[in-house]
Tab-separated table of all heavy atoms in Angstrom:
chain	number	residue	atom	x	y	z
A	1	ILE	N	2.679	-4.232	9.611
A	1	ILE	CA	1.798	-3.651	10.533
A	1	ILE	C	1.587	-2.194	10.063
A	1	ILE	O	0.422	-1.623	10.062
A	1	ILE	CB	2.245	-3.727	12.006
A	1	ILE	CG1	2.252	-5.172	12.412
A	1	ILE	CG2	1.364	-2.895	12.870
A	1	ILE	CD1	2.882	-5.421	13.784
A	2	THR	N	2.658	-1.492	9.718
A	2	THR	CA	2.538	-0.099	9.263
A	2	THR	C	1.584	0.049	8.043
A	2	THR	O	0.741	0.896	8.043
A	2	THR	CB	3.932	0.494	8.944
A	2	THR	OG1	4.776	0.383	10.078
A	2	THR	CG2	3.827	1.921	8.499
A	3	ASP	N	1.793	-0.850	7.083
A	3	ASP	CA	0.981	-0.782	5.907
A	3	ASP	C	-0.508	-1.216	6.159
A	3	ASP	O	-1.414	-0.608	5.602
A	3	ASP	CB	1.523	-1.747	4.819
A	3	ASP	CG	2.795	-1.174	4.150
A	3	ASP	OD1	2.996	0.036	4.195
A	3	ASP	OD2	3.604	-1.914	3.637
A	4	ALA	N	-0.636	-2.099	7.121
A	4	ALA	CA	-1.972	-2.446	7.519
A	4	ALA	C	-2.721	-1.269	8.232
A	4	ALA	O	-3.882	-1.007	7.980
A	4	ALA	CB	-2.010	-3.662	8.510
A	5	ILE	N	-2.003	-0.495	9.018
A	5	ILE	CA	-2.589	0.613	9.693
A	5	ILE	C	-2.966	1.647	8.638
A	5	ILE	O	-4.003	2.332	8.723
A	5	ILE	CB	-1.605	1.257	10.701
A	5	ILE	CG1	-1.509	0.376	11.986
A	5	ILE	CG2	-1.955	2.691	11.094
A	5	ILE	CD1	-0.508	0.791	12.957
A	6	ARG	N	-2.006	1.925	7.667
A	6	ARG	CA	-2.278	2.858	6.616
A	6	ARG	C	-3.604	2.484	5.865
A	6	ARG	O	-4.464	3.308	5.555
A	6	ARG	CB	-1.143	2.896	5.589
A	6	ARG	CG	0.064	3.587	6.141
A	6	ARG	CD	1.329	3.273	5.415
A	6	ARG	NE	2.437	4.052	5.837
A	6	ARG	CZ	3.744	3.765	5.602
A	6	ARG	NH1	3.999	2.606	4.854
A	6	ARG	NH2	4.745	4.533	6.055
A	7	ALA	N	-3.756	1.166	5.566
A	7	ALA	CA	-4.928	0.726	4.812
A	7	ALA	C	-6.223	0.958	5.602
A	7	ALA	O	-7.220	1.451	5.110
A	7	ALA	CB	-4.772	-0.775	4.506
A	8	GLU	N	-6.142	0.634	6.912
A	8	GLU	CA	-7.381	0.781	7.706
A	8	GLU	C	-7.742	2.248	7.920
A	8	GLU	O	-8.909	2.650	7.861
A	8	GLU	CB	-7.183	0.075	9.071
A	8	GLU	CG	-6.970	-1.384	9.023
A	8	GLU	CD	-8.125	-2.137	8.263
A	8	GLU	OE1	-9.244	-1.560	8.225
A	8	GLU	OE2	-7.825	-3.187	7.829
A	9	ILE	N	-6.722	3.104	8.084
A	9	ILE	CA	-7.024	4.575	8.218
A	9	ILE	C	-7.611	5.074	6.994
A	9	ILE	O	-8.575	5.869	6.928
A	9	ILE	CB	-5.745	5.336	8.618
A	9	ILE	CG1	-5.360	4.999	10.100
A	9	ILE	CG2	-5.976	6.849	8.420
A	9	ILE	CD1	-4.103	5.724	10.500
A	10	LEU	N	-7.048	4.729	5.793
A	10	LEU	CA	-7.665	5.078	4.530
A	10	LEU	C	-9.066	4.668	4.363
A	10	LEU	O	-9.940	5.452	3.927
A	10	LEU	CB	-6.766	4.628	3.386
A	10	LEU	CG	-5.479	5.346	3.099
A	10	LEU	CD1	-4.511	4.589	2.250
A	10	LEU	CD2	-5.812	6.728	2.466
A	11	GLU	N	-9.363	3.436	4.829
A	11	GLU	CA	-10.791	2.966	4.706
A	11	GLU	C	-11.688	3.677	5.630
A	11	GLU	O	-12.836	3.946	5.389
A	11	GLU	CB	-10.787	1.451	4.955
A	11	GLU	CG	-10.060	0.614	3.842
A	11	GLU	CD	-10.642	-0.723	3.600
A	11	GLU	OE1	-11.229	-1.327	4.543
A	11	GLU	OE2	-10.535	-1.181	2.427
A	12	ILE	N	-11.167	3.996	6.805
A	12	ILE	CA	-11.980	4.793	7.790
A	12	ILE	C	-12.283	6.187	7.101
A	12	ILE	O	-13.387	6.760	7.262
A	12	ILE	CB	-11.243	5.049	9.126
A	12	ILE	CG1	-11.103	3.669	9.931
A	12	ILE	CG2	-11.933	6.130	9.958
A	12	ILE	CD1	-10.179	3.760	11.061
A	13	MET	N	-11.338	6.753	6.394
A	13	MET	CA	-11.488	8.086	5.813
A	13	MET	C	-12.213	8.074	4.443
A	13	MET	O	-12.263	9.100	3.776
A	13	MET	CB	-10.106	8.759	5.599
A	13	MET	CG	-9.353	8.948	6.969
A	13	MET	SD	-10.293	9.955	8.133
A	13	MET	CE	-10.570	11.438	7.283
A	14	GLY	N	-12.769	6.954	4.095
A	14	GLY	CA	-13.639	6.935	2.907
A	14	GLY	C	-13.018	6.442	1.641
A	14	GLY	O	-13.522	6.725	0.519
A	15	TYR	N	-11.960	5.621	1.745
A	15	TYR	CA	-11.364	5.049	0.626
A	15	TYR	C	-11.501	3.530	0.483
A	15	TYR	O	-11.554	2.848	1.567
A	15	TYR	CB	-9.793	5.341	0.582
A	15	TYR	CG	-9.492	6.812	0.266
A	15	TYR	CD1	-9.533	7.789	1.347
A	15	TYR	CD2	-9.063	7.161	-0.964
A	15	TYR	CE1	-9.185	9.083	1.026
A	15	TYR	CE2	-8.749	8.462	-1.241
A	15	TYR	CZ	-8.813	9.443	-0.254
A	15	TYR	OH	-8.529	10.757	-0.552
A	16	LYS	N	-11.637	2.975	-0.733
A	16	LYS	CA	-11.560	1.582	-0.887
A	16	LYS	C	-10.140	1.203	-1.209
A	16	LYS	O	-9.465	1.783	-2.169
A	16	LYS	CB	-12.430	1.115	-2.033
A	16	LYS	CG	-13.928	1.235	-1.700
A	16	LYS	CD	-14.808	0.770	-2.852
A	16	LYS	CE	-16.280	0.891	-2.449
A	16	LYS	NZ	-17.206	0.384	-3.523
A	17	VAL	N	-9.541	0.359	-0.490
A	17	VAL	CA	-8.136	0.098	-0.539
A	17	VAL	C	-7.756	-1.295	-1.054
A	17	VAL	O	-8.395	-2.294	-0.650
A	17	VAL	CB	-7.445	0.290	0.882
A	17	VAL	CG1	-5.941	-0.069	0.868
A	17	VAL	CG2	-7.673	1.695	1.371
A	18	THR	N	-6.815	-1.334	-1.878
A	18	THR	CA	-6.217	-2.638	-2.374
A	18	THR	C	-4.729	-2.557	-2.190
A	18	THR	O	-4.119	-1.555	-2.601
A	18	THR	CB	-6.528	-2.862	-3.853
A	18	THR	OG1	-7.914	-2.756	-4.104
A	18	THR	CG2	-6.068	-4.218	-4.304
A	19	ILE	N	-4.111	-3.610	-1.622
A	19	ILE	CA	-2.710	-3.744	-1.481
A	19	ILE	C	-2.241	-4.778	-2.485
A	19	ILE	O	-2.691	-5.943	-2.356
A	19	ILE	CB	-2.230	-4.020	-0.040
A	19	ILE	CG1	-2.613	-2.858	0.794
A	19	ILE	CG2	-0.702	-4.241	0.007
A	19	ILE	CD1	-2.168	-3.022	2.392
A	20	MET	N	-1.416	-4.444	-3.370
A	20	MET	CA	-1.031	-5.395	-4.436
A	20	MET	C	0.504	-5.447	-4.641
A	20	MET	O	1.217	-4.579	-4.115
A	20	MET	CB	-1.657	-4.966	-5.781
A	20	MET	CG	-1.255	-3.582	-6.295
A	20	MET	SD	-2.110	-3.073	-7.719
A	20	MET	CE	-3.771	-2.690	-7.050
A	21	GLU	N	0.880	-6.527	-5.282
A	21	GLU	CA	2.346	-6.685	-5.516
A	21	GLU	C	2.820	-5.759	-6.603
A	21	GLU	O	2.099	-5.582	-7.616
A	21	GLU	CB	2.662	-8.156	-5.874
A	21	GLU	CG	4.144	-8.450	-5.921
A	21	GLU	CD	4.331	-9.917	-6.136
A	21	GLU	OE1	3.502	-10.576	-6.854
A	21	GLU	OE2	5.456	-10.462	-5.698
A	22	PHE	N	3.976	-5.166	-6.444
A	22	PHE	CA	4.603	-4.319	-7.414
A	22	PHE	C	6.037	-4.828	-7.666
A	22	PHE	O	6.546	-5.532	-6.841
A	22	PHE	CB	4.572	-2.893	-6.814
A	22	PHE	CG	5.019	-1.778	-7.805
A	22	PHE	CD1	4.413	-1.731	-9.035
A	22	PHE	CD2	6.052	-0.921	-7.487
A	22	PHE	CE1	4.786	-0.720	-9.958
A	22	PHE	CE2	6.416	0.038	-8.362
A	22	PHE	CZ	5.847	0.162	-9.622
A	23	ILE	N	6.579	-4.460	-8.740
A	23	ILE	CA	7.998	-4.797	-9.066
A	23	ILE	C	8.881	-4.065	-8.113
A	23	ILE	O	8.719	-2.923	-7.823
A	23	ILE	CB	8.334	-4.515	-10.501
A	23	ILE	CG1	7.428	-5.354	-11.483
A	23	ILE	CG2	9.817	-4.697	-10.798
A	23	ILE	CD1	7.672	-5.090	-12.938
A	24	ASP	N	9.885	-4.781	-7.603
A	24	ASP	CA	10.901	-4.222	-6.656
A	24	ASP	C	11.412	-2.880	-7.094
A	24	ASP	O	11.738	-2.697	-8.270
A	24	ASP	CB	12.034	-5.140	-6.402
A	24	ASP	CG	11.624	-6.472	-5.797
A	24	ASP	OD1	10.411	-6.613	-5.395
A	24	ASP	OD2	12.457	-7.298	-5.640
A	25	MET	N	11.420	-1.920	-6.243
A	25	MET	CA	12.018	-0.600	-6.518
A	25	MET	C	13.521	-0.750	-6.582
A	25	MET	O	14.102	-1.686	-5.867
A	25	MET	CB	11.678	0.483	-5.507
A	25	MET	CG	10.102	0.662	-5.400
A	25	MET	SD	9.389	1.268	-6.871
A	25	MET	CE	9.875	2.980	-6.757
A	26	GLU	N	14.244	0.142	-7.192
A	26	GLU	CA	15.651	0.058	-7.267
A	26	GLU	C	16.290	0.185	-5.822
A	26	GLU	O	15.863	1.061	-5.075
A	26	GLU	CB	16.249	1.239	-8.163
A	26	GLU	CG	17.609	1.076	-8.544
A	26	GLU	CD	18.061	2.167	-9.514
A	26	GLU	OE1	17.224	3.044	-9.792
A	26	GLU	OE2	19.217	2.144	-9.997
A	27	HIS	N	17.248	-0.658	-5.533
A	27	HIS	CA	17.976	-0.591	-4.301
A	27	HIS	C	17.136	-1.016	-3.059
A	27	HIS	O	17.533	-0.769	-1.974
A	27	HIS	CB	18.581	0.764	-4.004
A	27	HIS	CG	19.398	1.253	-5.160
A	27	HIS	ND1	20.388	0.490	-5.735
A	27	HIS	CD2	19.345	2.451	-5.802
A	27	HIS	CE1	20.959	1.222	-6.702
A	27	HIS	NE2	20.368	2.442	-6.764
A	28	THR	N	15.947	-1.603	-3.227
A	28	THR	CA	15.163	-1.922	-2.140
A	28	THR	C	14.221	-3.150	-2.457
A	28	THR	O	13.796	-3.259	-3.570
A	28	THR	CB	14.200	-0.803	-1.624
A	28	THR	OG1	13.346	-1.270	-0.585
A	28	THR	CG2	13.347	-0.299	-2.694
A	29	PRO	N	14.024	-4.052	-1.485
A	29	PRO	CA	13.149	-5.222	-1.751
A	29	PRO	C	11.717	-4.890	-1.565
A	29	PRO	O	10.898	-5.768	-1.725
A	29	PRO	CB	13.688	-6.214	-0.703
A	29	PRO	CG	14.134	-5.395	0.443
A	29	PRO	CD	14.683	-4.152	-0.165
A	30	LYS	N	11.257	-3.700	-1.227
A	30	LYS	CA	9.951	-3.395	-0.958
A	30	LYS	C	9.127	-3.472	-2.215
A	30	LYS	O	9.495	-2.806	-3.283
A	30	LYS	CB	9.745	-1.920	-0.318
A	30	LYS	CG	10.623	-1.748	0.939
A	30	LYS	CD	10.234	-2.670	2.050
A	30	LYS	CE	11.053	-2.299	3.258
A	30	LYS	NZ	10.820	-3.314	4.400
A	31	ASN	N	8.036	-4.255	-2.285
A	31	ASN	CA	7.375	-4.458	-3.546
A	31	ASN	C	5.829	-4.499	-3.301
A	31	ASN	O	5.136	-5.232	-4.056
A	31	ASN	CB	7.847	-5.677	-4.241
A	31	ASN	CG	7.472	-6.949	-3.471
A	31	ASN	OD1	7.238	-6.878	-2.287
A	31	ASN	ND2	7.498	-8.102	-4.106
A	32	LEU	N	5.338	-3.728	-2.373
A	32	LEU	CA	3.877	-3.568	-2.261
A	32	LEU	C	3.400	-2.216	-2.670
A	32	LEU	O	4.102	-1.168	-2.441
A	32	LEU	CB	3.471	-3.798	-0.700
A	32	LEU	CG	3.744	-5.175	-0.197
A	32	LEU	CD1	3.285	-5.247	1.248
A	32	LEU	CD2	3.067	-6.236	-1.010
A	33	LEU	N	2.276	-2.177	-3.351
A	33	LEU	CA	1.720	-0.912	-3.703
A	33	LEU	C	0.320	-0.810	-3.045
A	33	LEU	O	-0.454	-1.687	-3.135
A	33	LEU	CB	1.548	-0.755	-5.227
A	33	LEU	CG	0.906	0.513	-5.769
A	33	LEU	CD1	1.713	1.024	-7.041
A	33	LEU	CD2	-0.524	0.450	-6.019
A	34	ILE	N	0.025	0.414	-2.394
A	34	ILE	CA	-1.252	0.669	-1.849
A	34	ILE	C	-2.045	1.569	-2.795
A	34	ILE	O	-1.614	2.544	-3.186
A	34	ILE	CB	-1.072	1.426	-0.457
A	34	ILE	CG1	-0.262	0.602	0.521
A	34	ILE	CG2	-2.433	1.725	0.079
A	34	ILE	CD1	0.074	1.369	1.789
A	35	ARG	N	-3.211	0.977	-3.254
A	35	ARG	CA	-4.031	1.756	-4.133
A	35	ARG	C	-5.344	2.087	-3.379
A	35	ARG	O	-6.025	1.185	-2.792
A	35	ARG	CB	-4.463	1.038	-5.372
A	35	ARG	CG	-5.407	1.816	-6.272
A	35	ARG	CD	-5.611	1.123	-7.601
A	35	ARG	NE	-6.257	-0.150	-7.447
A	35	ARG	CZ	-6.457	-1.090	-8.486
A	35	ARG	NH1	-5.966	-0.739	-9.656
A	35	ARG	NH2	-7.058	-2.206	-8.253
A	36	ALA	N	-5.661	3.357	-3.285
A	36	ALA	CA	-6.854	3.845	-2.498
A	36	ALA	C	-7.707	4.715	-3.488
A	36	ALA	O	-7.193	5.683	-4.054
A	36	ALA	CB	-6.403	4.596	-1.320
A	37	VAL	N	-8.975	4.331	-3.528
A	37	VAL	CA	-9.951	5.016	-4.467
A	37	VAL	C	-11.006	5.605	-3.509
A	37	VAL	O	-11.659	4.897	-2.752
A	37	VAL	CB	-10.564	4.073	-5.432
A	37	VAL	CG1	-11.554	4.831	-6.352
A	37	VAL	CG2	-9.396	3.444	-6.315
């Protein structure tokens, strides 16, 4: 939900957003990357 809120706020503020899979960071299973143009 947090990442979804971030994406929508970015789109409100004039960004085109893509959330994509990323390789797991060290010591954490989080593997999503938010790209905003």
Side-chain angles (χ1 to χ4, degrees):
I1 294 171
T2 301
D3 287 335
I5 286 175
R6 288 164 174 159
E8 297 304 336
I9 288 179
L10 282 165
E11 294 211 330
I12 292 170
M13 297 305 300
Y15 287 83
K16 290 184 177 180
V17 177
T18 306
I19 297 181
M20 62 187 72
E21 189 173 32
F22 188 53
I23 294 175
D24 296 356
M25 302 296 283
E26 191 174 5
H27 307 311
T28 176
K30 306 299 182 185
N31 65 341
L32 295 181
L33 182 142
I34 301 172
R35 178 173 64 188
V37 179

